[in-house]
């Protein structure tokens, strides 16, 4: 239940793509934001009104409900603000705020909203931090993080998805996200170290390059295991030791590239 696996300029394997130099920052309390969005929908078109209402229901019923328990106000605000339908292929947009993953092409998916919110909350993103994402996919997880941290570096192994996500993130104004086409197993060494790393595809072990690129005390949220036996782990780097906590059984697409050859 999640996104994908994993932008090129002249050098498709190494050159980052930068979105316009503007930022999205989520500041107001999320409940006040929900009220404001509901009040302004009368000025929007019918489609926008429907999407806004669906997004509010998503937050109320799928995320903040007691049965789901997402409680971080900044995460809830991000989920209430980022237009998930903009990251979904046109033929699936009517389902954009449903409680499920959706196909985005190339045998990849955009994650179930709850999984995005859960992983983001467990990552504990802070405003001054730099985060590495492995598996850009649709770009939706990067957009959620963009308003919560200082900078997002995202790697996508499927080049057409990287191109599309970069374009969507730029079009929507997420200027603190850098995307590139590459092998996520290897990370982004020239931009390291990172305060936190989030991985949205599943290797059968934690890649050593990602451990090396994580700051001391940094956090990593990563699914690990074979397709039918995966757990989501929260890792904390403590010197040479890596503290592990299994936090959720999941089903992510496998990590490809170097990970599949080891």
């Amino acid at each position: 239940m999640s996104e994908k696996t994993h932008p090129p300029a002249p050098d498709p394997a190494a050159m980052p793509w930068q979105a316009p130099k503007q930022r999205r920052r989520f500041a107001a309390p999320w409940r006040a934001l929900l009220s404001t969005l509901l009040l302004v929908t009368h000025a929007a078109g019918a489609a926008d009104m429907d999407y806004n209402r669906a997004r509010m229901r998503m937050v109320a019923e799928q995320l903040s409900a007691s049965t789901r328990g997402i409680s971080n106000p900044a995460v809830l605000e991000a989920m209430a603000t980022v237009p998930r339908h903009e990251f979904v292929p046109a033929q699936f947009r009517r389902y954009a705020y449903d409680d499920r993953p959706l196909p985005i092409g190339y045998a990849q998916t955009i994650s179930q909203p709850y999984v995005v919110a859960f992983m983001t909350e467990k990552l504990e993103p802070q405003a001054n931090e730099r985060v590495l994402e492995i598996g850009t996919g649709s770009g939706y997880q990067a957009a959620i993080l963009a308003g919560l941290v200082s900078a997002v570096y995202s790697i996508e192994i499927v080049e057409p998805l990287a191109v599309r996500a970069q374009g969507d993130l730029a079009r929507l104004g997420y200027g603190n996200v850098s995307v590139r086409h590459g092998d996520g197993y290897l990370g982004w060494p020239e931009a390291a170290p990172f305060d936190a790393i989030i991985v949205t595809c599943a290797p059968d072990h934690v890649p050593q390059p990602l451990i090396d690129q994580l700051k001391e005390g940094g956090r990593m949220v990563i699914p690990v295991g074979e397709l039918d036996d995966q757990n989501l782990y929260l890792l904390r780097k403590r010197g040479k030791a890596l503290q592990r906590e299994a936090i959720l059984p999941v089903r992510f697409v496998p990590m490809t590239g170097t990970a599949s050859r080891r």
Side-chain angles (χ1 to χ4, degrees):
M1 53 180 92
S2 193
E3 263 211 77
K4 57 246 172 193
T5 7
H6 295 297
D11 178 358
M15 181 68 70
W17 284 328
Q18 298 285 347
K21 297 296 183 182
Q22 59 207 67
R23 279 291 302 281
R24 295 292 182 91
R25 171 64 59 188
F26 307 120
W30 75 273
R31 292 186 186 278
L33 176 69
L34 298 189
S35 299
T36 301
L37 287 174
L38 289 172
L39 287 172
V40 301
T41 51
H42 72 276
D48 288 337
M49 290 173 63
D50 289 343
Y51 287 135
N52 287 342
R53 289 168 178 161
R55 193 160 61 251
M56 298 311 105
R57 283 197 304 272
M58 176 192 78
V59 173
E61 298 173 7
Q62 300 173 33
L63 306 181
S64 63
S66 59
T67 53
R68 287 295 177 82
I70 303 298
S71 60
N72 184 305
V75 173
L76 289 168
E77 185 180 339
M79 299 295 294
T81 304
V82 174
R84 188 172 189 257
H85 62 278
E86 295 284 0
F87 297 93
V88 172
Q91 66 268 36
F92 299 118
R93 286 187 175 176
R94 71 178 115 170
Y95 310 115
Y97 298 101
D98 287 1
D99 190 20
R100 55 170 162 163
L102 293 169
I104 58 172
Y106 306 94
Q108 308 302 307
T109 62
I110 180 173
S111 300
Q112 177 189 9
Y114 172 73
V115 171
V116 174
F118 181 85
M119 292 179 69
T120 305
E121 184 170 70
K122 290 299 182 181
L123 196 67
E124 301 175 2
Q126 304 298 315
N128 62 342
E129 293 186 331
R130 300 163 71 252
V131 174
L132 175 64
E133 179 194 23
I134 306 301
T136 315
S138 68
Y140 178 64
Q141 175 71 78
I144 293 293
L145 288 168
L148 301 172
V149 301
S150 175
V152 180
Y153 295 81
S154 188
I155 304 174
E156 173 57 56
I157 202 168
V158 180
E159 187 171 1
L161 290 181
V163 173
R164 187 167 72 199
Q166 184 274 337
D168 287 339
L169 288 161
R171 173 176 58 85
L172 295 168
Y174 296 100
N176 60 331
V177 180
S178 301
V179 183
R180 82 177 187 184
H181 168 234
D183 188 334
Y185 186 96
L186 305 177
W188 198 319
E190 62 270 34
F194 299 97
D195 298 285
I197 299 176
I198 188 168
V199 183
T200 59
C201 51
D204 62 6
H205 63 281
V206 181
Q208 187 62 45
L210 301 185
I211 298 172
D212 295 342
Q213 293 170 36
L214 187 62
K215 281 185 180 179
E216 171 65 21
R219 297 91 58 207
M220 186 188 309
V221 173
I222 180 172
V224 179
E226 301 297 333
L227 186 61
D228 294 318
D229 185 23
Q230 296 175 4
N231 272 293
L232 191 66
Y233 287 89
L234 171 62
L235 311 178
R236 295 183 185 273
K237 189 173 183 179
R238 306 292 189 197
K240 294 184 179 180
L242 201 62
Q243 297 178 350
R244 294 178 177 234
E245 178 188 356
I247 52 178
L248 188 72
V250 290
R251 185 183 175 92
F252 280 74
V253 297
M255 182 180 282
T256 58
T258 301
S260 63
R261 299 192 291 271
R262 296 179 69 89

